[in-house]
Amino acid sequence: MSQSPAQPPVAKRVPTSREHHGDVFVDNYEWLREKDSAEVVAHLKAENAYQEAVTAHQEPLREAMFQEIKGRTQETDLSVPNRKDAWWYYSRSVEGKEYSIQCRVRAVDSGDPVADWTPPVVEAGVAIPGEEILLDGNVEAEGKPFFSVGSAAVTIDGNLYAYAVDNTGEERFTVRFKDLRTGELLPDVIEDVFYGLAFTPDGTRIFYTVVDDSWRPYQVKSHVLGTPVSEDEVLYQEDDVAMWLGFEQSADRRHLVVGIGCSEFSETRLLRFDDYDAGLSTVISRDEHLLYEAEPFLLDGSETLLITHNKNAVNSMVSLVDPSELAKPLGEQHWRTVVEHSDAVRVNGAGVTSTHLLLSVREDTIERVQVLPLAGLGTPEQGAAVEPAFDEELYTAGVSGSDYEAPVVRMGYTSYFTPSRVYDFVLPTAEQPAGELLLRKESPVLGGYSAADYVATREWAVAADGTRVPLSVLRHASVPQDSTAAGLVYGYGSYEVSMDPGFGVPRLSLLDRGIVMVIAHIRGGGELGRQWYEDGKKLSKMNTFTDFVAATDWLAQSGWVAPGRIAAMGGSAGGLLMGAIANLAPEKYAAVVAQVPFVDALNTILDPELPLSALEWEEWGNPITDPEVYRYMKAYTPYENVRAVDYPRIAAVTSFNDTRVLYVEPAKWVQKLRSLTTGSEPIVMKIEMDGGHGGASGRYVQWRERAWDYAFVADALGAVLLLPGAGLK
């Protein structure tokens, strides 16, 4: 007996009018925003049931991909120990367990600096003498629908451990304190905390952030251990709804550094721990409209500020400022240049150790690290920058941790087909002017993986306005260039975020099935400097979408793929990208996967009471006050531009508790797509009812989610069979 095909859930239509700048938009599905409504929950469950029915035939492929991911991953593993004060800290993962276990072991000081900062040999699955468990995520997560640690901190004396746990996926954390001498929890418990924790040097006080009603971090508070939380002090409150707030300790841990800002300008305030009652002091007022970061430190014994800024420098530069200069008007202050502005090099940030300046820069799309000695910094005697050398064309290198007094800095390195590596870079000295890279670990990849089986190249698409758009093209080495393969284009293109080269085990399951993957470094990202970002935001946002279509056209004409076998994928703001290109060029794609997609962007940003909406004005413009921004956004917002065309196969993947892109956006979008498409391809929504913006918690669950996305793509492209010799070996 044959079964009738599954029917998609049809949401009722409840017309709601929205009027701005003389324009009236009627929204039939806004009622789906009522998260607490039993009818809404029932509808979402019906969406899940529909997608399960429609994609049921993909289950064997999903299971195969999951087993490939699992088979390539060393499940019992550990991180490289990282020294902080008198301890080495590291994490373990255990086969069969979802979450990591945080551990430490005491350090030994021999008087040999490099030896003392050489991590101990820790074996996977083998406890070492003196090992202490700080937090076992598997124990903490037991019986909970979701588990994530947002922040953690240890006092300098190593006695107290603070950690923040989220059990809903809403990124609202509960902070607890553990006495590491006894293993007992302190009675202090702080609820509804956002990211960021830091102790004062004496360990008696901890700083944390909280959010306002629109889920924007707006307060830095301090809690004195042993006192009621109700008495916690508000150290700083930011009332501008368009400004973000956060903090960190200075590298030498003498200051709390509070950062306030948006994507276009910022403000830094400093608190001296040895003069707490003096309160916060402002480095440069936001009224100057500079985008900057400030790091206080001692240079030759004198208080100095290291400032990374865009003052007459679109790609930013680095300067030194004596704090006494800050009392003068900005135009009269004397700043000493450390790193000059360059049109070709974007300065992403700068930090210090007790002996060196650390620089993160981006050149030719690639993020890299440079170091300069503090001796002579900002003078004619300043030394030359030293950059650790790597032998690949497309890679990512960055400082992943450094201790102020250490003779080494911990670095992370990866490329598309080089698994993540951990290096210690021995800082240059007179005896060793080039420094030295010491490989501490390369993440193992099992299943017979060989980087030689894959190829990554840099190619360039040409946008309609003549702009050259960089592409990273990834493929299995055995794919013939005969215009028959399948292709996938991935992109993001917002917030100056760069899609940097990085290794990913799950991606191999696509490449092993002959899919050629293009990562499109489109405008709105940061790959080619600040102007690349500026050219893809606000009233230039359309460049992001048309660049992605140009990348698709390059792939279709590359000789690798059949033009009818191309899919697209992106998440969050990249999900908005997916909705936009599905409207712009639906005929170019066989399938679109939109992960936690920001597809109802205009409606969201028009309501400053919705989570994080006001913070978006610096990225997209403010459609509430500016009619031109309203008209421009309305011309590309995916939900409002769905039309009667043949849409490709579409999957919207979301989470019920996502606070960054609410589930209602894809829920409404899917309904409108189904109501207007003239094609026959299925349009489904997969919703994780216990997850947040990053999906469900637990590594096995996350692997299954990635396998779901990739199986949807491979099935749509007819690329379900492994290439000869590919796969696990």
Side-chain angles (χ1 to χ4, degrees):
M1 180 177 175
S2 64
Q3 292 183 324
S4 60
Q7 295 300 310
V10 179
K12 67 182 181 183
R13 299 187 179 205
V14 181
T16 303
S17 293
R18 182 196 75 206
E19 183 172 358
H20 284 272
H21 307 296
D23 175 73
V24 177
F25 176 72
V26 178
D27 190 341
N28 290 318
Y29 303 111
E30 179 63 13
W31 69 273
L32 289 170
R33 192 176 298 277
E34 296 299 322
K35 186 176 181 181
D36 296 329
S37 162
E39 186 177 4
V40 169
V41 172
H43 172 77
L44 298 176
K45 290 180 177 178
E47 287 282 14
N48 261 347
Y50 173 65
Q51 68 83 7
E52 287 170 2
V54 168
T55 66
H57 67 284
Q58 296 169 15
E59 178 55 32
L61 179 58
R62 293 197 289 258
E63 181 62 24
M65 287 184 166
F66 170 77
Q67 292 298 338
E68 290 162 17
I69 297 168
K70 189 171 182 287
R72 285 185 167 121
T73 303
Q74 183 165 302
E75 297 177 65
T76 298
D77 203 1
L78 50 97
S79 64
V80 178
N82 184 52
R83 182 166 179 176
K84 202 69 177 172
D85 302 313
W87 296 84
W88 290 99
Y89 294 89
Y90 53 98
S91 65
R92 292 186 181 275
S93 59
V94 179
E95 184 174 356
K97 294 186 180 295
E98 296 275 10
Y99 301 101
S100 62
I101 303 167
Q102 306 304 316
C103 307
R104 73 174 183 177
V105 68
R106 190 173 286 277
V108 176
D109 289 321
S110 66
D112 180 337
V114 175
D116 291 345
W117 288 87
T118 298
V121 176
V122 184
E123 295 182 55
V126 180
I128 59 175
E131 181 175 278
E132 298 179 7
I133 293 178
L134 307 181
L135 186 73
D136 186 336
N138 303 288
V139 174
E140 291 282 330
E142 196 169 337
K144 306 291 196 307
F146 182 92
F147 173 77
S148 175
V149 176
S151 306
V154 183
T155 52
I156 290 178
D157 61 17
N159 291 338
L160 296 179
Y161 176 66
Y163 62 99
V165 170
D166 172 17
N167 288 130
T168 65
E170 293 183 339
E171 297 179 278
R172 298 298 168 269
F173 300 90
T174 298
V175 179
R176 293 184 172 85
F177 300 85
K178 185 177 182 181
D179 188 327
L180 297 177
R181 295 162 294 189
T182 66
E184 300 295 320
L185 291 178
L186 302 186
D188 306 64
V189 177
I190 312 174
E191 303 282 1
D192 294 325
V193 171
F194 198 58
Y195 295 99
L197 292 173
F199 282 106
T200 50
D202 63 8
T204 61
R205 186 189 300 263
I206 194 164
F207 300 95
Y208 62 94
T209 55
V210 295
V211 298
D212 61 15
D213 291 340
S214 67
W215 301 55
R216 173 186 66 96
Y218 83 117
Q219 287 182 337
V220 176
K221 301 183 78 172
S222 73
H223 171 72
V224 177
L225 293 174
T227 66
V229 174
S230 60
E231 297 177 3
D232 286 2
E233 172 193 9
V234 177
L235 181 68
Y236 179 76
Q237 177 169 313
E238 177 53 54
D239 293 322
D240 187 334
V241 296
M243 300 290 272
W244 189 269
L245 176 67
F247 67 83
E248 60 184 3
Q249 285 182 327
S250 61
D252 59 14
R253 295 192 286 191
R254 296 184 307 117
H255 292 79
L256 189 75
V257 182
V258 178
I260 309 128
C262 60
S263 65
E264 299 190 345
F265 57 91
S266 59
E267 182 175 277
T268 299
R269 301 192 182 203
L270 304 178
L271 175 71
R272 286 187 61 134
F273 290 133
D274 64 1
D275 192 11
Y276 186 89
D277 292 337
L280 292 164
S281 62
T282 300
V283 178
I284 303 165
S285 168
R286 70 190 70 186
D287 296 337
E288 302 291 351
H289 273 244
L290 282 186
L291 190 63
Y292 75 97
E293 295 177 348
E295 174 75 22
F297 73 112
L298 295 173
L299 180 61
D300 297 327
S302 299
E303 286 285 353
T304 307
L305 288 165
L306 178 75
I307 300 185
T308 306
H309 62 93
N310 68 345
K311 180 184 176 186
N312 302 318
V314 66
N315 274 338
S316 293
M317 58 186 290
V318 181
S319 302
L320 295 176
V321 182
D322 187 303
S324 63
E325 292 289 314
L326 301 179
K328 304 174 185 177
L330 182 63
E332 299 175 14
Q333 295 174 16
H334 173 62
W335 293 18
R336 289 174 286 159
T337 297
V338 173
V339 178
E340 294 183 343
H341 175 257
S342 166
D343 289 333
V345 179
R346 173 78 163 107
V347 178
N348 292 327
V352 292
T353 71
S354 60
T355 58
H356 284 78
L357 169 73
L358 311 178
L359 283 172
S360 171
V361 300
R362 184 180 299 279
E363 186 175 7
D364 296 329
T365 79
I366 301 302
E367 185 179 358
R368 55 194 77 203
V369 174
Q370 297 176 347
V371 299
L372 283 160
L374 292 187
L377 200 66
T379 73
E381 289 73 41
Q382 177 174 305
V386 173
E387 182 175 312
F390 301 100
D391 57 6
E392 293 184 272
E393 177 192 10
L394 304 179
Y395 68 88
T396 302
V399 174
S400 59
S402 63
D403 188 277
Y404 188 66
E405 299 293 344
V408 301
V409 293
R410 179 64 52 84
M411 289 184 59
Y413 175 90
T414 184
S415 74
Y416 287 117
F417 299 119
T418 300
S420 62
R421 292 175 178 171
V422 175
Y423 288 98
D424 278 337
F425 181 58
V426 181
L427 292 166
T429 61
E431 296 76 26
Q432 201 170 40
E436 183 183 8
L437 270 177
L438 303 174
L439 178 63
R440 299 305 191 191
K441 180 178 181 180
E442 179 173 302
S443 294
V445 183
L446 309 181
Y449 170 76
S450 171
D453 291 339
Y454 305 91
V455 178
T457 62
R458 165 71 78 238
E459 308 293 346
W460 298 83
V462 180
D465 63 1
T467 300
R468 297 176 76 238
V469 180
L471 313 174
S472 295
V473 181
L474 318 180
R475 59 181 171 83
H476 195 281
S478 65
V479 174
Q481 194 171 5
D482 62 1
S483 298
T484 64
L488 173 64
V489 188
Y490 182 88
Y492 187 77
S494 292
Y495 305 107
E496 205 180 354
V497 172
S498 298
M499 297 290 99
D500 290 323
F503 185 78
V505 164
R507 187 194 300 134
L508 301 178
S509 291
L510 285 179
L511 302 180
D512 284 353
R513 287 168 174 80
I515 295 175
V516 177
M517 186 171 185
V518 170
I519 299 171
H521 304 288
I522 50 186
R523 281 176 281 187
E527 287 88 345
L528 290 176
R530 179 72 181 188
Q531 196 60 51
W532 195 249
Y533 166 54
E534 298 283 355
D535 290 345
K537 66 183 291 195
K538 290 191 173 179
L539 297 178
S540 298
K541 190 63 199 171
M542 280 297 297
N543 288 333
T544 300
F545 314 135
T546 53
D547 282 1
F548 190 90
V549 173
T552 305
D553 290 340
W554 178 92
L555 181 59
Q557 299 158 13
S558 67
W560 291 108
V561 308
R565 299 185 72 199
I566 297 176
M569 179 182 288
S572 198
L576 182 153
L577 169 67
M578 293 299 99
I581 59 100
N583 289 333
L584 279 174
E587 73 285 354
K588 296 182 187 289
Y589 304 97
V592 173
V593 176
Q595 301 155 319
V596 288
F598 189 34
V599 283
D600 194 18
L602 178 56
N603 199 44
T604 294
I605 295 172
L606 282 168
D607 186 352
E609 299 303 314
L610 289 176
L612 308 180
S613 286
L615 293 168
E616 300 289 349
W617 295 338
E618 298 301 334
E619 181 73 18
W620 316 94
N622 187 343
I624 299 173
T625 59
D626 190 331
E628 185 180 8
V629 169
Y630 178 90
R631 285 191 293 272
Y632 189 83
M633 288 192 70
K634 194 180 180 192
Y636 70 71
T637 300
Y639 180 63
E640 300 182 65
N641 287 281
V642 175
R643 55 199 177 98
V645 294
D646 287 4
Y647 280 97
R649 193 175 308 188
I650 292 176
V653 182
T654 188
S655 295
F656 190 52
N657 291 324
D658 191 345
T659 58
R660 296 173 186 253
V661 179
L662 300 184
Y663 74 88
V664 68
E665 299 202 23
K668 291 167 56 177
W669 180 54
V670 162
Q671 285 297 310
K672 194 167 185 181
L673 282 167
R674 289 200 198 113
S675 70
L676 288 176
T677 184
T678 54
S680 58
E681 293 292 342
I683 296 167
V684 302
M685 183 171 84
K686 177 179 179 288
I687 181 165
E688 171 56 59
M689 297 303 286
D690 291 321
H693 193 61
S697 63
R699 56 177 176 166
Y700 296 103
V701 179
Q702 291 175 348
W703 294 348
R704 288 198 181 277
E705 287 189 341
R706 190 60 62 244
W708 192 99
D709 297 344
Y710 285 175
F712 187 91
V713 168
D715 177 65
L717 299 180
V720 299
L721 299 177
L722 289 168
L723 295 172
L728 299 177
K729 299 177 179 67

